[in-house]
Amino acid sequence: MTNDLVFTETMNIFDEPFTTAEVIAKYSGNGIKTVNNRINQYKSDLEEFGVLHFNRAKPAKGSKGGRPHKVYQLNEEQATLLITYLDNTKQVRRFKKELVRQFFAMKQELLQRQLFRGIGKVDRLELTDAIKQSDVLNSPHDYGNFTRLVYKTAIGYNASQLRKARGAKPKAVVRNFLTADELKAVSKREAQVTTLIELGMDYSQVKAVLTGKGVIYQTTLKLPVTAQ
């Protein structure tokens, strides 16, 4: 069975994991009409566990007409409850077990990212303090320059590219959209930069040292064509 049963709206660490009615229909062996009918039939039950979200999907490319249709998004409790309203076939039971596993795995990933996000705040504060207290750094652009250097040498991309690739708003806190491995790499690089600044190095010297070390964790992004 596919590993893509559970999603988040974006890569934000505070997004709530969900699955869709279409996923449930496909892997439980039920038609989408049957699943949607159950959702509408037991809508009040499902809404006891949160707002019942949906998107409007356009007809598949190449199909003959048709109107945009609702694609329901269900959180873990809603999806689990909905499945109990379907026929308890062997396929449904197998799907339910896999869905539970993937919801758990997604929540663990998000919790781990939140943990490293918290640790990273400390590293960030230490870097900020080091820049402020430095005897050789006095440019108003130092903070931005070091931030860009950290991201480029930690994971291979700058903050702007990361936001675009992860569906974040232009001024969103980019750390909220990083994976656990990316967060660890950024924190490690920030700690190194802090040490080099405390040793009395200016930006060009720090850049030369880090460039020689290479990227800590080369992440992979699907960047827009216009991105540089």
Side-chain angles (χ1 to χ4, degrees):
M1 187 174 289
T2 180
N3 290 324
D4 299 322
L5 303 180
V6 178
F7 318 92
T8 53
E9 195 67 37
T10 68
M11 281 197 65
N12 194 318
I13 60 177
F14 300 109
D15 280 353
E16 181 179 34
F18 68 90
T19 190
T20 68
E22 292 185 341
V23 166
I24 293 174
K26 180 177 180 180
Y27 294 102
S28 70
N30 288 272
I32 186 62
K33 184 176 181 180
T34 297
V35 173
N36 283 340
N37 284 343
R38 291 289 189 279
I39 291 174
N40 290 318
Q41 182 179 358
Y42 298 104
K43 185 177 180 181
S44 61
D45 291 355
L46 296 171
E47 288 179 334
E48 289 184 24
F49 297 93
V51 177
L52 189 58
H53 295 286
F54 64 85
N55 285 326
R56 290 197 175 275
K58 296 180 179 180
K61 188 175 182 180
S63 62
K64 297 180 180 179
R67 296 180 179 180
H69 60 280
K70 289 183 178 179
V71 177
Y72 285 102
Q73 298 178 347
L74 301 99
N75 62 32
E76 183 177 12
E77 292 84 0
Q78 290 169 336
T80 302
L81 179 61
L82 178 63
I83 292 174
T84 67
Y85 294 147
L86 300 174
D87 292 336
N88 195 33
T89 64
K90 183 177 180 180
Q91 184 173 350
V92 168
R93 295 196 302 273
R94 184 169 64 248
F95 166 66
K96 183 177 181 179
K97 288 189 290 184
E98 183 59 30
L99 189 65
V100 168
R101 290 190 186 99
Q102 292 195 27
F103 264 115
F104 179 80
M106 179 66 78
K107 288 191 295 184
Q108 289 297 106
E109 165 67 14
L110 292 173
L111 286 172
Q112 186 179 34
R113 289 170 61 197
Q114 290 169 18
L115 173 63
F116 285 118
R117 174 74 175 87
I119 295 172
K121 287 182 178 180
V122 177
D123 293 324
R124 194 62 172 176
L125 286 173
E126 291 179 351
L127 174 58
T128 301
D129 289 342
I131 293 173
K132 290 179 180 179
Q133 297 168 11
S134 171
D135 294 328
V136 297
L137 301 176
N138 51 27
S139 169
H141 303 296
D142 283 331
Y143 184 81
N145 289 338
F146 278 112
T147 297
R148 285 186 287 274
L149 181 63
V150 164
Y151 281 105
K152 288 288 287 185
T153 61
I155 53 182
Y157 294 93
N158 61 41
S160 177
Q161 291 172 320
L162 288 161
R163 290 189 187 96
K164 289 179 181 179
R166 300 284 163 79
K169 294 180 180 180
K171 294 184 179 181
V173 178
V174 71
R175 287 173 183 264
N176 291 345
F177 296 83
L178 300 184
T179 67
D181 287 332
E182 290 166 352
L183 285 166
K184 284 190 288 185
V186 169
S187 289
K188 180 177 180 179
R189 188 61 93 205
E190 283 179 339
Q192 292 172 343
V193 171
T194 298
T195 299
L196 295 175
I197 292 174
E198 290 175 342
L199 289 173
M201 293 187 181
D202 61 19
Y203 174 77
S204 61
Q205 292 172 317
V206 172
K207 182 178 180 180
V209 172
L210 297 186
T211 301
K213 288 180 174 294
V215 176
I216 295 176
Y217 177 81
Q218 180 62 62
T219 194
T220 302
L221 300 181
K222 291 184 178 180
L223 293 171
V225 176
T226 56
Q228 298 297 321

